[in-house]
Amino acid sequence: MAVPDLKPRSGAVLASSRLRKIVLVASIVAVVWVTAVVSLGGWRGDHLSQKHTAQAHANALTMAQANGLVLERRFEALRTVASLLTERDPVGRAAFAFNLRSQATDREAWDDLLQDGDLQVLSQQLGQTAQELSVDGIFLANETGYIFAASNWDQGLTHLTESFQDAQHFRDAMTHGSGEQFGVDTVNGQPRFFFSVRLNRGAQVQGVVTVSTSSERLMPLLQRGREDVLLTDENGIVIASSNDDWMYRSMGKGLTDLMTTVQLGLRYGRSEFLEMPGP
């Protein structure tokens, strides 16, 4: 009886085993390669994302610093305007004349003194100056806060005959020589920035010159890209913004928690503040 030859089948088995090993190794290499490629791609994506975020943050910081300088210069300019107006002869003479006449006139009749031609001319000049400087108002008040010359003399809501007596910027100017405040305008009810400087004639105090401007007049001065530009006060309340939706929003709980409803109303014209959507 003939014995079958097993060598060819054994060779086939060995060849099949080697093929499976090759396929297995190739599969492992492929899996490792794909995993490496995916991981590298993810790492590169994360790296690029982080780099983009860092660059955007740097750009925003640069823009904020630049806008901060613009606002500082604008505020300093407004302080200078108020100071220079106190040195103008027409302003000093008008204040001296009004104070001299008002001392001999009952308080109830002070409004009649505003018919003086020099005071009317001064108000007109203040109106022209306010328009040229793009500010909301320029006012001249006596030492009691009574406003006897105003740039908005011809408007329905004029400051003439009104008073800054209870305003912090006026009290600071009378006490320290100058005062600044962000708060609600007592005449039109709108929040304003006020810059006041005491007016002296020799050693005698004649009154205070006040320059006011609004948030709306500040925004055109600022640089912006696709991002919103916001200005907050020390309480974290947005008081100027390129996006109207962010106005009077809160950046977080702050010093407003310590203020009464009346104090909040005098400063912002409101007492409730939505928080900014974050982060």
Side-chain angles (χ1 to χ4, degrees):
M1 182 175 180
V3 178
D5 186 2
L6 298 180
K7 290 184 179 180
R9 181 177 297 180
S10 177
V13 170
L14 292 175
S16 177
S17 176
R18 284 196 297 271
L19 180 61
R20 284 197 300 270
K21 289 181 180 180
I22 293 173
V23 171
L24 178 61
V25 172
S27 299
I28 294 174
V29 171
V31 169
V32 172
W33 173 255
V34 170
T35 302
V37 169
V38 171
S39 299
L40 180 60
W43 177 82
R44 290 186 61 188
D46 291 343
H47 178 70
L48 291 176
S49 178
Q50 292 174 0
K51 185 177 180 180
H52 176 75
T53 301
Q55 185 61 50
H57 176 76
N59 292 341
L61 182 59
T62 300
M63 182 181 296
Q65 292 172 336
N67 285 330
L69 291 175
V70 171
L71 289 177
E72 287 178 5
R73 290 169 182 166
R74 179 58 173 172
F75 288 153
E76 184 59 36
L78 295 175
R79 298 183 191 104
T80 302
V81 168
S83 181
L84 290 176
L85 285 172
T86 63
E87 300 176 4
R88 291 182 57 183
D89 287 340
V91 175
R93 288 198 302 268
F96 178 78
F98 177 82
N99 289 333
L100 189 63
R101 294 174 184 175
S102 63
Q103 291 173 4
T105 306
D106 292 337
R107 175 62 179 81
E108 293 75 12
W110 280 8
D111 295 0
D112 297 335
L113 299 178
L114 302 187
Q115 303 304 315
D116 179 83
D118 289 341
L119 287 181
Q120 292 181 350
V121 170
L122 177 59
S123 288
Q124 293 174 6
Q125 292 174 343
L126 294 180
Q128 294 174 356
T129 301
Q131 185 175 7
E132 292 170 358
L133 298 178
S134 187
V135 297
D136 284 272
I138 302 176
F139 314 107
L140 179 57
N142 70 355
E143 60 182 349
T144 70
Y146 178 83
I147 302 172
F148 58 89
S151 60
N152 57 5
W153 60 276
D154 58 344
Q155 298 178 14
L157 292 175
T158 179
H159 282 67
L160 284 176
T161 75
E162 298 292 338
S163 177
F164 283 144
Q165 181 178 6
D166 296 326
Q168 188 64 46
H169 62 87
F170 175 80
R171 296 199 299 266
D172 287 345
M174 287 294 295
T175 303
H176 307 294
S178 63
E180 300 177 9
Q181 181 184 5
F182 175 83
V184 171
D185 191 306
T186 56
V187 175
N188 55 33
Q190 298 298 316
R192 294 286 185 266
F193 296 88
F194 294 93
F195 301 86
S196 294
V197 176
R198 186 174 60 206
L199 171 62
N200 299 317
R201 189 178 179 89
Q204 188 175 8
V205 176
Q206 297 295 324
V208 168
V209 172
T210 298
V211 177
S212 75
T213 192
S214 62
S215 299
E216 290 80 3
R217 292 185 182 273
L218 295 178
M219 296 315 301
L221 305 175
L222 302 182
Q223 306 172 15
R224 70 200 74 170
R226 292 176 296 176
E227 301 85 359
D228 293 321
V229 178
L230 312 175
L231 171 66
T232 74
D233 65 1
E234 65 273 18
N235 295 325
I237 303 299
V238 178
I239 56 177
S241 173
S242 58
N243 185 338
D244 292 339
D245 292 338
W246 305 149
M247 284 295 291
Y248 303 110
R249 295 235 185 180
S250 173
M251 300 294 286
K253 290 187 176 297
L255 298 179
T256 54
D257 295 337
L258 305 178
M259 300 173 69
T260 65
T261 300
V262 173
Q263 290 172 326
L264 291 171
L266 290 175
R267 185 173 179 86
Y268 304 105
R270 67 198 66 206
S271 59
E272 297 293 333
F273 309 95
L274 294 175
E275 288 198 11
M276 285 286 292

